Amino acid sequence: MIVMKFGGTSVGDAAAIRRTAEIVRGRLPRGPVVVVSALAGTTNALLAAAEQGAAGNLVAAIATVEQLRERHLTAVAELIGVGPDAEDLAATESVLLDELAHLVEALSVLGHRTPRAMDAVASLGEQLAAPIVVAALRRAGIDAVLVDARRVLVTNDEFGRAEPQPEQIAAACREHLLPLVGAGKVPVLGGYMGATPQGVTTTLGRGGSDYSASLFGAALEAEAIEIWTDVDGMLTADPRVVTGAKLIEHIRFDEAAELASFGAKVLHPNTIAPAVTRGIPVFIFNSLRPDAKGTRITADAPRHSVRAIAGKGNTVIVKVRSARMLGTPGALKQIFEVFARHRTSVDVVTTSEVSVSLTVDDDQFLDAVIADLRAFGDVSVERGRGIIAVVGSGLAEHTEAMAKAIAAVGDTRLYMLSLDSTGINLTMVMDADAVKPVMQRLHDAFFSDPAA
Ligand code: ASP
Ligand code: MG
């Protein structure tokens, strides 16, 4: 058995849904369970409608609802044509869209949004998408069956970011999904949404369909989880920044997680952790190029010296100098508490006996942070910096790789340098405008030489 998850662009319109049906057909011998996102852009539109409603702008909210109606009914007509099946499906969609219209109306009466109501609205994208995909699969001769994800994806009641309950999910998956797969049917579920044990609809947080797929895969002890998206997989660098970026065919989970924090937005590895930690490989595939290789993510891929180069250019360095304080126990804790208090996350940290340097990406609350840090010593701020991360699980062991990385930096001025203790991420802070050329030199050094 395998779990196949199709993101918004893989179900964005009738043509995409047809391609998806063909991809599923190719996997039938492996017993697929299909998880789908909302049609691309739908979740944003749903949340906008809810906000318009709660802000008292009911006309705009209903216009948004009608655009969604139009879009989903067009997909139905293009996929199923006319006739009783098409009418049934259009009726199913219309009931959901009427429910949406009632919800935004209710929000406009209330004049504010509750997290619980927002989840009821946000989950409608997947509720709308799943029956359309079922119908398209059936059209393609595949014995697909709709399963309401709320029957299997049990969560707590933290609306907006509900916590899955793995044991109850496993039991529900065994009860509701296994018999279908055993009978040669293809269960289709909406991602991102779940329900409390009492049946109240919840969501897992934005982008949560990958998480759903991973949870189902872990619960069913699937052979593999496939994340179908609109890019070829993870690359050795961002192709908009570096020329010659290459597909990474196999990557370790911890490496992928390091890259994600630098904005590799293909998928957030934490969402697939439940599967990877159980030894289930996760693949990223491009539904526009289904025969391409894709990327395989496992916990135990072979260690390479360097797997990828990532960078970003909007970094601020905050430096605290205090000869008196820094040697004393608990000093770092107090400094970190300042950042936590002002909801600012710290990226790179380096220390010496008399100073601590920290980087942040988000300077929204920086003035407040600085004001509080002055209690500890002299504080200085340097803007216009950027960060490059050289990621590879064998980096620390392969001393020649480290030498090569340092050589590629050349005479570029570095402000901070850090290697984490597992030796997987060499992070360098430099001027923002040096990031692009240095990334290119590093990439050339590691990825254009076949002996690398
Ligand atoms: N449709 C949801 C979102 O846009 C979940 C997902 O696509 O993974 O966040
Ligand atoms: Mg997504």
Side-chain angles (χ1 to χ4, degrees):
M1 185 192 328
I2 62 172
V3 175
M4 306 177 76
K5 177 260 171 175
F6 293 92
T9 51
S10 303
V11 295
D13 56 20
I17 294 172
R18 269 196 212 101
R19 275 196 300 274
T20 288
E22 287 316 305
I23 293 167
V24 173
R25 187 206 303 289
R27 297 288 199 264
L28 286 178
R30 300 182 64 192
V33 170
V34 173
V35 178
V36 297
S37 288
L39 276 56
T42 300
T43 311
N44 287 341
L46 289 165
L47 295 173
E51 254 155 57
Q52 289 158 341
N57 194 350
L58 193 55
V59 175
I62 295 299
T64 308
V65 175
E66 290 317 307
Q67 281 162 16
L68 286 171
R69 189 186 302 274
E70 162 87 31
R71 178 154 175 221
H72 286 83
L73 293 181
T74 302
V76 170
E78 285 178 20
L79 285 163
I80 320 294
V82 287
D85 287 357
E87 275 166 32
D88 282 354
L89 180 56
T92 302
E93 298 289 296
S94 292
V95 167
L96 291 167
L97 288 151
D98 292 347
E99 188 183 326
L100 172 62
H102 291 314
L103 281 164
V104 300
E105 241 180 276
L107 287 168
S108 81
V109 173
L110 282 172
H112 70 97
R113 313 164 286 148
T114 67
R116 177 171 167 166
M118 290 307 273
D119 273 0
V121 171
S123 66
L124 282 166
E126 276 69 14
Q127 293 187 56
L128 285 159
I132 299 179
V133 172
V134 169
L137 292 174
R138 298 188 71 86
R139 263 290 140 121
I142 297 164
D143 196 358
V145 187
L146 181 66
V147 177
D148 190 331
R150 292 170 293 188
R151 292 172 67 193
V152 284
L153 208 145
V154 185
T155 72
N156 71 2
D157 64 357
E158 261 177 72
F159 298 101
R161 203 174 191 84
E163 190 78 42
Q165 310 294 307
E167 270 154 39
Q168 296 178 59
I169 294 171
C173 284
R174 280 194 294 270
E175 184 183 342
H176 297 294
L177 299 179
L178 271 188
L180 293 173
V181 179
K185 297 180 192 300
V186 177
V188 177
L189 305 99
Y192 174 56
M193 60 173 185
T196 66
Q198 292 73 35
V200 182
T201 302
T202 56
T203 67
L204 300 176
R206 293 306 304 272
S209 296
D210 295 336
Y211 198 9
S212 300
S214 170
L215 290 162
F216 296 144
L220 294 165
E221 293 174 15
E223 239 171 78
I225 296 172
E226 299 182 347
I227 306 287
W228 288 84
T229 177
D230 56 1
V231 295
D232 284 342
M234 299 189 99
L235 302 179
T236 51
D238 184 339
R240 291 165 305 183
V241 179
V242 163
T243 54
K246 295 184 174 69
L247 179 74
I248 301 174
E249 288 179 26
H250 192 184
I251 188 167
R252 295 170 63 88
F253 178 70
D254 50 6
E255 293 168 332
E258 290 291 338
L259 290 172
S261 70
F262 276 82
K265 66 168 181 55
V266 179
L267 103 166
H268 203 291
N270 290 346
T271 66
I272 58 161
V276 177
T277 53
R278 295 183 68 143
I280 301 170
V282 175
F283 295 81
I284 302 170
F285 288 125
N286 186 346
S287 59
L288 293 165
R289 304 198 319 125
D291 297 324
K293 280 200 172 117
T295 295
R296 177 159 54 113
I297 306 170
T298 61
D300 58 355
R303 288 177 188 277
H304 281 257
S305 59
V306 172
R307 226 54 200 98
I309 316 286
K312 56 189 175 187
N314 53 343
T315 306
V316 181
I317 301 178
V318 179
K319 205 183 278 178
V320 184
R321 287 180 68 89
S322 164
R324 182 175 42 85
M325 166 198 190
L326 282 165
T328 63
L332 283 176
K333 172 168 181 271
Q334 291 179 48
I335 287 175
F336 280 116
E337 272 167 2
V338 171
F339 285 87
R341 191 154 62 236
H342 298 291
R343 284 172 288 143
T344 297
S345 54
V346 170
D347 211 344
V348 187
V349 182
T350 58
T351 63
S352 78
E353 282 305 307
V354 294
S355 73
V356 185
S357 301
L358 311 100
T359 70
V360 302
D361 285 345
D362 175 6
D363 60 1
Q364 201 187 343
F365 303 111
L366 200 55
D367 292 342
V369 168
I370 292 161
D372 286 5
L373 287 176
R374 291 205 202 281
F376 304 116
D378 294 336
V379 182
S380 61
V381 172
E382 299 170 17
R383 294 177 189 275
R385 307 291 189 234
I387 301 181
I388 292 182
V390 180
V391 173
S393 54
L395 188 59
E397 285 158 38
H398 292 80
T399 50
E400 71 286 5
M402 188 64 78
K404 210 157 140 180
I406 302 295
V409 174
D411 61 2
T412 299
R413 171 148 188 211
L414 296 181
Y415 299 93
M416 294 165 67
L417 183 66
S418 108
L419 176 70
D420 76 301
S421 65
T422 59
I424 187 176
N425 188 348
L426 173 68
T427 311
M428 301 176 283
V429 181
M430 61 193 72
D431 287 315
D433 51 18
V435 167
K436 190 181 157 88
V438 175
M439 271 183 79
Q440 187 71 59
R441 291 206 298 272
L442 282 162
H443 195 271
D444 290 346
F446 286 105
F447 299 104
S448 62
D449 165 13

